[in-house]
Amino acid sequence: MLLQDEMIKNKKGVSIMIGYVLLLVFAVIMGVITFAWLKSYVPAEALNCPEGVSIFINEATFNDSTSELNLSLVNNGRFDIAGYFIHASVSEQELPTIDLSSYLNEGFSGKKLGTSVIIGNADILFGQEGNLFEAGDREKNIFNIPPGITKIHSIRITPTRFQEENGRQRFVSCGDAKVQLQLATAPIVCIPSCTGKACGGDGCGGSCGSCNSSFFCDASSQCISTNCVPAANSTLSEICGSFVCGTAQNGTCGNVSCGTCTGGNSCNQTSGQCVFISCVPASDPTLSGVCGSSVCGTAQNGTCDTVSCGTCTGGNSCDQTTGQCISANCVPASNPTHSGVCGSSVCGTAQNGTCSTVSCGTCTGGASCNQATGQCVAASCVPASNPTLSGVCGSSVCGTAQNGTCSTVICGTCTGFPIVAASKTSSRSSNAADDVITMPTGIVAGDLLLVIHATDAGGSATRTWSGGFTEILDKSASSNIGVAWKIAAGGDSLTVTKSASERFSAIALRITGAHASSAPKISTTATGENTDPNPDSVTASWGAENNLFIAFYGQDTNITDTIVDAWPTNYDDNQIQGVFVASAGEPNMATRDLAAATDDPGTFTINTLIGWRGWRAGTIVVRPA
């Protein structure tokens, strides 16, 4: 019995051993099969990025108050790359192993791909076309670090690429090209520095020396002779102004260092700003060239940095449009741009409405500013006997004129069309032979003055115009109307003397940008007794230029005023109704800018025929300068 039990035990031991052997054989067979299958997917050798892949950390800053990591990278290698892995350490003793890729701010720039950052279009995940960070490109990424990470000591950047291997696209980590940068350092110990200093402090409370009695220590720690004249305010901030690098002149006492640039940036010596080496500054990159007449706000230095043009004090705010400091309670000019306030002035000052006085520029080369004309003149030159702008330019409204032996004066610029710069209506409700016409404000020599004069039709009166006005229309019928013009001499006035005593109503226009020697052309006139006065078409003898067309009509009213319900099509400007005078004529007009020789305005539409005795209508065309 014992022998039988022993044999049974031996058989069980043999069975267990056979089972282990079978399991081992099965594992070996599965390993062989798996290896054979993986050989078709795993390359014989590890994939490597090509030699010449390189990435440079241009700048990396961590703001522990906002938990924001700002990273500026440059592809300074010879190959395009797809992106990078980013890891960080929080102490000097640790290696950068904390993955930061998941904290990328995708709303600013870049996309996440697994545990990496992709630069450019994240939809392109495979293929050489996915390497969008090209050689020479710059990229800035922002990472919003969670509160658990309160400090970053260093970061490590490992470039990545998409590469083709045996017809398959693979995502490769370029470990040989990884770079590391330390953000945090040990507590700063003040190290005195007197390099380049002859006097003043050493930065740590000590002294770099003092100057003898005939010299003084300037803002850049140099001993300057007391015979020179320093700037009125010789503090470093006042001397350098908006300069953050380069040098600035301390009066006649030498140059002051305004600072240096970091992070691979270079200093634009003329604007005193730090710029990327690859940016393109303005054609005139000096502070005055970039800011112009602006004394506050900012201006763009070409494709480089934004330049600060200055700040406002005393509770004033900066008008970003003009770059001028203004009171919060003032009312700026209707066109508060620099050109709108200064006009043709290139120096001196001009008033911005009820706000600040605007600097229109300064003169150089020893020239002085003629405040009357806003132009720069040589100190030894002889200005015109009347050096005001109107005195120098006369009838010229554009181009330039010579101010005696001094500078050339800008007389103005043309918009392309003559402009109705001002208008005035006048009337009298009693009969008289002489009608004094109220002239528009602001008349200067060279302006075109145009007057439409209407009287009652009953007297059939003819007109005599004073002051050098030239008559181009004097018609009597359903309504008695006359038109005359002149080139202003300045201070012009007009009295219309009629051959019979009548009431009157008139419209006077001051037009700028008109041709000085071409008389306005007037059409034949039409008459009627209905609610649709229809001016005839007019053709300019000088042809298709930027002409000003004026449609007008005069009506003989009786007991009520008539209102224009609709003006001729496209006559949207200067829609003026004359003063209603019972039993007298009433002129109405509108204008249109049109680059054509001929125009037929179409009809006016008036509201009523009550008290109506008829109308006379026509069209005038004014030639541009």
Side-chain angles (χ1 to χ4, degrees), residues 209-565:
S210 59
C211 303
N212 63 33
S213 59
S214 60
F215 291 82
F216 69 92
C217 189
D218 73 352
S220 60
S221 298
Q222 302 300 314
C223 290
I224 304 298
S225 170
T226 54
N227 295 324
C228 71
V229 181
N233 185 344
S234 58
T235 62
L236 187 61
S237 60
E238 287 296 324
I239 295 173
C240 290
S242 63
F243 278 39
V244 297
C245 64
T247 60
Q249 183 69 30
N250 180 15
T252 63
C253 297
N255 289 329
V256 173
S257 172
C258 297
T260 56
C261 299
T262 59
N265 294 336
S266 63
C267 184
N268 184 320
Q269 296 292 334
T270 49
S271 67
Q273 305 301 311
C274 295
V275 298
F276 285 126
I277 296 174
S278 60
C279 73
V280 181
S283 56
D284 179 7
T286 63
L287 187 62
S288 60
V290 175
C291 288
S293 63
S294 295
V295 297
C296 62
T298 59
Q300 187 65 37
N301 181 15
T303 63
C304 298
D305 55 321
T306 299
V307 175
S308 170
C309 298
T311 56
C312 300
T313 59
N316 293 337
S317 61
C318 184
D319 184 332
Q320 295 292 335
T321 306
T322 61
Q324 305 300 313
C325 296
I326 59 175
S327 168
N329 299 321
C330 71
V331 179
S334 56
N335 181 4
T337 61
H338 182 256
S339 60
V341 175
C342 287
S344 61
S345 295
V346 297
C347 64
T349 59
Q351 188 64 36
N352 181 13
T354 63
C355 296
S356 60
T357 299
V358 174
S359 171
C360 297
T362 56
C363 300
T364 59
S368 61
C369 185
N370 184 323
Q371 295 292 335
T373 62
Q375 306 301 311
C376 296
V377 297
S380 60
C381 71
V382 179
S385 57
N386 181 1
T388 63
L389 188 61
S390 60
V392 174
C393 291
S395 61
S396 297
V397 296
C398 61
T400 59
Q402 187 64 35
N403 182 14
T405 62
C406 298
S407 61
T408 299
V409 174
I410 299 174
C411 298
T413 56
C414 297
T415 60
F417 292 92
I419 298 173
V420 177
S423 63
K424 198 71 176 180
T425 59
S426 54
S427 63
R428 189 186 59 253
S429 58
S430 59
N431 291 334
D434 294 334
D435 302 334
V436 178
I437 308 301
T438 304
M439 303 305 292
T441 59
I443 296 175
V444 297
D447 289 343
L448 172 66
L449 304 179
L450 185 72
V451 177
I452 303 173
H453 178 269
T455 68
D456 185 70
S460 300
T462 57
R463 298 167 176 77
T464 301
W465 307 74
S466 71
F469 276 79
T470 300
E471 183 180 84
I472 56 175
L473 177 66
D474 192 354
K475 291 288 187 179
S476 176
S478 299
S479 178
N480 193 320
I481 193 163
V483 178
W485 70 280
K486 72 170 291 189
I487 298 298
D492 303 78
S493 61
L494 171 62
T495 298
V496 179
T497 301
K498 307 185 299 296
S499 58
S501 293
E502 290 290 348
R503 303 171 178 86
F504 87 98
S505 181
I507 299 173
L509 305 177
R510 178 172 72 87
I511 302 173
T512 61
H515 200 279
S517 59
S518 295
K521 177 73 174 177
I522 192 167
S523 69
T524 58
T525 54
T527 61
E529 294 185 4
N530 53 42
T531 58
D532 300 308
N534 188 3
D536 287 341
S537 67
V538 67
T539 298
S541 59
W542 51 83
E545 296 184 22
N546 290 337
N547 294 317
L548 173 69
F549 289 87
I550 305 172
F552 71 94
Y553 76 92
Q555 63 191 51
D556 187 359
T557 60
N558 186 7
I559 60 174
T560 185
D561 188 12
T562 57
I563 306 301
V564 178
D565 284 338

Side-chain angles (χ1 to χ4, degrees), residues 1-9:
M1 187 67 179
L2 291 173
L3 181 59
Q4 185 179 1
D5 290 340
E6 187 66 27
M7 290 178 66
I8 291 173
K9 290 180 181 179

